[in-house]
């Protein structure tokens, strides 16, 4: 792709891609960064001549990256809501704590089976009792207990690894 073709593609698609990203993210700076990254990747990593529908490719890529940003934001927000944010005595923010907390939340999202993840969310995020969670899922209270115990054990093991890093 020549620089002239790239420039034309950029000018043609930027406004609609920006509107898409802004509709999803509601953050001007983040939208501009996201779209710039998509076009930079297109220029650096992808043979644009091999893509049959370049407009569709750009649209899907912006949408998927915006969804990734939203997922990361929700994970961090959920972590902050579930656990108190520690501050130093001088009131400065503890970024190391935030990083570790995000790693724990990512483990909960990716390191557990879907059933265990669902049980943990019911019990710890929604505040359901074991009996209520069992009723919602159609399983025994013992099964809920098994998922919670196993998940907490895995979390502790993972957290120890994170602490040792």
């Amino acid at each position: 792709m020549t620089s002239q073709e790239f420039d034309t593609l950029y000018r043609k698609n930027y406004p609609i891609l920006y509107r898409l990203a802004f509709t999803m993210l509601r953050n001007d700076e983040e939208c501009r960064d996201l779209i710039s990254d998509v076009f930079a990747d297109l220029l650096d990593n992808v043979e644009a001549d091999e893509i049959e529908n370049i407009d569709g490719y750009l649209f899907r890529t912006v949408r998927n990256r915006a969804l990734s940003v939203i997922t990361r934001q929700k994970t961090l927000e959920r972590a902050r809501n579930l656990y108190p944010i520690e501050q130093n005595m001088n009131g400065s923010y503890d970024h190391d704590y935030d990083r570790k907390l995000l790693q724990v939340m990512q483990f909960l999202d990716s390191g557990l089976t879907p059933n265990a993840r669902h049980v943990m969310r019911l019990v710890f995020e929604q505040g359901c009792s074991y009996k209520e969670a069992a009723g919602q899922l159609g399983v025994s209270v013992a099964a809920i207990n098994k998922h919670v115990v196993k998940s907490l054990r895995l979390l502790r093991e993972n957290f120890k690894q994170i602490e040792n890093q």
Side-chain angles (χ1 to χ4, degrees):
M1 174 181 290
T2 67
S3 68
Q4 178 73 24
E5 291 170 332
F6 182 82
D7 189 50
T8 302
L9 183 68
Y10 182 85
R11 290 176 192 273
K12 173 186 160 202
N13 286 291
Y14 184 87
I16 194 162
L17 294 175
Y18 178 84
R19 283 193 300 274
L20 169 65
F22 192 80
T23 299
M24 296 176 77
L25 299 176
R26 299 286 183 205
N27 183 316
D28 180 60
E29 186 175 320
E30 200 153 9
C31 293
R32 285 186 276 127
D33 288 346
L34 186 141
I35 293 169
S36 295
D37 289 345
V38 167
F39 276 103
D41 286 348
L42 178 68
L43 191 60
D44 293 339
N45 302 327
V46 177
E47 292 296 325
D49 298 331
E50 295 177 10
I51 300 173
E52 290 180 31
N53 182 357
I54 193 79
D55 295 341
Y57 168 82
L58 291 169
F59 188 82
R60 281 189 314 274
T61 304
V62 168
R63 183 196 66 208
N64 290 341
R65 288 192 185 185
L67 288 172
S68 294
V69 168
I70 290 167
T71 301
R72 268 194 313 275
Q73 289 171 344
K74 284 183 179 179
T75 300
L76 189 54
E77 175 132 354
R78 196 169 71 234
R80 287 182 177 151
N81 288 337
L82 288 174
Y83 303 103
I85 297 176
E86 294 181 357
Q87 291 186 339
N88 295 333
M89 293 302 285
N90 63 5
S92 67
Y93 187 72
D94 187 355
H95 293 284
D96 189 48
Y97 175 80
D98 196 40
R99 179 186 58 80
K100 289 177 182 178
L101 190 56
L102 183 58
Q103 288 175 327
V104 169
M105 292 305 295
Q106 287 172 337
F107 171 79
L108 289 175
D109 283 340
S110 64
L112 299 177
T113 65
N115 290 339
R117 187 179 316 118
H118 191 62
V119 167
M120 295 296 282
R121 286 192 174 134
L122 285 174
V123 172
F124 290 101
E125 286 183 15
Q126 297 178 16
C128 292
S129 67
Y130 285 18
K131 185 176 181 179
E132 292 169 332
Q136 284 187 29
L137 298 175
V139 297
S140 68
V141 173
I144 298 296
N145 184 55
K146 181 185 105 182
H147 281 298
V148 170
V149 169
K150 184 177 179 183
S151 298
L152 289 175
R153 182 180 48 78
L154 290 171
L155 180 61
R156 278 191 296 273
E157 289 170 4
N158 185 66
F159 193 69
K160 284 180 186 175
Q161 291 174 359
I162 290 172
E163 284 294 315
N164 294 330
Q165 291 178 355

